[in-house]
Amino acid sequence: MALVPTTAPTDSQLIAEVDMGSDSSVMNVRATVVQASTIFYDTPATLDKAERLLAEAAGFGSQLVVFPEAFVGGYPRGSNFGVSIGNRTPKGKEEFRKYHASAIDVPGPEVDRLAAMAGKYRVHLVMGVIERDGYTLYCTVLFFDPQGRYLGKHRKVMPTALERIIWGFGDGSTIPVFETSIGKIGAAICWENRMPLLRTAMYAKGIEIYCAPTADSRDTWQASMTHIALEGGCFVLSANQFCRRKDYPPPPEYVFSGTEEELTPDSVVCAGGSAIISPSGTILAGPNYDGEALISADLDLGEIARAKFDFDVVGHYARPEVLSLVVRDHPTTPVTFTSTSTKVEDSCKK
């Protein structure tokens, strides 16, 4: 897989580059969204694939690389985990055990490896993972800087439909926007991008490069991404997997519920649609529905100020005396031990 000019695209290669001029007061950032599939149930092999893709993007000068939702750990498309109202099958429980085994601890050795990759290739890395916290899983995005440091995470606050049977719910403590050398970066995952209050919280934190890892390849997704770019006055980087049936284990180990009989190994089960959009709503790169690709564009950060001059949703276009938002950004835990809290308070007094 390589990056080539859009004047000569191939079925599996794409880059859009925009001439941003020579104004030295404006920072330009080369960003890449990765459109590729997980190696399902094989996290070490998926990390190897991630490094190959990261190396290739860095070789073409990318400073920021964004991977799709659940790239490490996998998006269990088509699976119902044997669930019906009032019943869970033994096969479905075994599927969950295998899925749980493919997830990663945060922090953990896989996070250390991802951090090392970011440092090795000197890039800002945004990676979609399935996070394992005990026996609960979360759909999570991890952030790393070019010095090889893990910055933090965002847990999806609202899984969609059957995702709720396998993933927990993030809370307000993991809605970060990180101030970096290339701008303020944050992420929302898939359909939580449709949640206007979540978006508003991120705008209030000053997000400039809005990452949107997703599993939605429908045409309507592009409308949401363009709207967010215009609404937030920010760059939007949407990364989705491109998957064929053969990228998942074969039946009966893995079954696409309700559609398996219609699929061949080469059937496309997720068509991608990854794209990069400017604060003015201009599509800088993508959407690509052709195959695995590295989709890139040069971001002129001066576009943010030009867009905010027209519309600043949490600034001059806000009416806080009429409409306001309160975000509960503290961690929520089901159990609190008073002895632990007392020890923390005592140590602070010393």
Side-chain angles (χ1 to χ4, degrees):
M1 189 187 304
L3 289 78
V4 297
T6 52
T7 53
T10 69
D11 288 341
S12 63
Q13 304 167 337
L14 178 64
I15 179 172
E17 296 186 17
V18 182
D19 181 4
M20 298 302 179
S22 58
D23 185 348
S24 61
S25 69
V26 175
M27 178 185 290
N28 296 325
V29 174
R30 178 160 294 184
T32 294
V33 293
V34 173
Q35 180 165 289
S37 67
T38 301
I39 301 174
F40 211 81
Y41 288 152
D42 195 337
T43 296
T46 298
L47 289 170
D48 290 342
K49 181 174 183 177
E51 181 160 11
R52 291 194 298 271
L53 295 167
L54 193 61
E56 191 166 355
F60 284 91
S62 295
Q63 299 158 271
L64 169 64
V65 182
V66 181
F67 279 76
E69 177 181 10
F71 185 78
V72 176
Y75 187 82
R77 186 175 301 277
S79 178
N80 61 17
F81 288 86
V83 170
S84 58
I85 299 299
N87 185 58
R88 286 156 298 283
T89 67
K91 183 177 184 296
K93 292 181 179 182
E94 174 60 13
E95 287 178 8
F96 180 78
R97 184 201 64 77
K98 293 171 67 175
Y99 190 53
H100 178 273
S102 298
I104 67 172
D105 296 325
V106 181
E110 293 85 2
V111 176
D112 293 342
R113 182 174 178 190
L114 289 167
M117 289 182 202
K120 178 179 179 180
Y121 299 106
R122 307 295 294 174
V123 297
H124 297 267
L125 173 60
V126 179
M127 176 63 74
V129 308
I130 299 304
E131 176 192 359
R132 180 176 55 223
D133 187 355
Y135 289 94
T136 295
L137 304 180
Y138 295 91
C139 185
T140 297
V141 170
L142 307 181
F143 300 84
F144 304 88
D145 71 12
Q147 287 70 48
R149 294 178 297 209
Y150 165 62
L151 299 178
K153 68 185 177 185
H154 164 62
R155 285 177 171 174
K156 193 173 188 176
V157 299
M158 177 52 69
T160 300
L162 276 178
E163 293 174 356
R164 296 173 198 167
I165 69 171
I166 53 168
W167 296 341
F169 295 63
D171 61 33
S173 68
T174 67
I175 311 175
V177 172
F178 297 100
E179 187 159 1
T180 75
S181 60
I182 60 170
K184 297 178 180 178
I185 301 173
I189 306 169
C190 207
W191 275 22
E192 66 177 1
N193 283 286
R194 294 184 173 193
M195 301 171 69
L197 300 185
L198 176 64
R199 297 198 308 267
T200 301
M202 295 173 68
Y203 301 150
K205 292 187 175 186
I207 193 166
E208 295 171 329
I209 301 176
Y210 186 116
C211 303
T214 188
D216 190 344
S217 61
R218 293 172 300 174
D219 292 341
T220 52
W221 179 253
Q222 302 303 321
S224 293
M225 296 298 94
T226 300
H227 174 77
I228 291 170
L230 289 167
E231 178 183 67
C234 53
F235 289 94
V236 174
L237 280 60
S238 178
N240 193 7
Q241 298 193 33
F242 182 94
C243 304
R244 298 184 186 275
R245 176 62 185 89
K246 63 186 177 184
D247 292 317
Y248 287 81
E253 180 184 5
Y254 192 101
V255 174
F256 277 70
S257 179
T259 62
E260 186 65 58
E261 295 76 11
E262 305 165 10
L263 300 175
T264 69
D266 286 324
S267 295
V268 175
V269 295
C270 182
S274 303
I276 299 176
I277 302 171
S278 80
S280 66
T282 301
I283 297 174
L284 302 180
N288 181 346
Y289 298 100
D290 298 327
E292 293 199 345
L294 301 177
I295 301 163
S296 299
D298 291 335
L299 315 183
D300 168 16
L301 299 191
E303 283 202 47
I304 296 170
R306 292 190 283 271
K308 298 280 192 181
F309 177 64
D310 289 337
F311 183 83
D312 185 354
V313 67
V314 291
H316 62 76
Y317 226 89
R319 288 292 304 277
E321 76 281 13
V322 180
L323 301 167
S324 61
L325 171 66
V326 175
V327 179
R328 296 173 181 86
D329 59 357
H330 58 278
T332 57
T333 56
V335 180
T336 300
F337 294 94
T338 58
S339 59
T340 303
S341 300
T342 302
K343 289 177 183 178
V344 172
E345 291 173 3
D346 291 343
S347 65
C348 292
K349 294 176 182 178
K350 292 179 181 178

